Amino acid sequence: MPHTVEWNVHVDLVEDAEGRTRARATLDTGTTTVTGRGAATCAPGDRDIPEIGDEFAAGRALRDLGEQLLHTAEHDVAAVGAAPEPRRSPMYGWPL
């Protein structure tokens, strides 16, 4: 059975005066929303390059969002009486 939907993700980034960047990634499925959060802090000896903080914070927010979606899917699979398929690779890094 064909199934096509569109989900939208919006990422908000805010940097404060101390070089900390916070990100919020919000997924809108049309029926629910899920929010992931991430942060990055510029190390004391590093140059403050806002784009790099944005990348780290946004990546962490999206990773948090992805973990939440995987947890929800695993819970939904268990709720219908099936066992979730074991993960064959980690969320990041080299495949097993």
Side-chain angles (χ1 to χ4, degrees):
M1 161 197 297
H3 176 75
T4 303
V5 296
E6 181 176 320
W7 289 1
N8 295 297
V9 176
H10 184 82
V11 179
D12 293 301
L13 299 159
V14 176
E15 183 180 7
D16 64 23
E18 286 79 40
R20 289 182 303 237
T21 303
R22 294 189 187 346
R24 183 178 64 217
T26 304
L27 168 67
D28 179 1
T29 70
T31 58
T32 191
T33 59
V34 181
T35 301
R37 298 187 187 283
T41 303
C42 187
D46 290 346
R47 277 187 18 217
D48 186 10
I49 303 172
E51 293 81 10
I52 294 174
D54 292 350
E55 292 165 350
F56 273 118
R60 290 169 179 158
L62 291 166
R63 181 172 56 200
D64 180 41
L65 180 62
E67 282 291 334
Q68 290 181 57
L69 289 172
L70 288 169
H71 177 73
T72 299
E74 291 166 353
H75 176 72
D76 291 347
V77 165
V80 297
E85 195 172 302
R87 289 190 187 173
R88 297 176 198 268
S89 65
M91 281 297 295
Y92 52 89
W94 298 104
L96 297 176

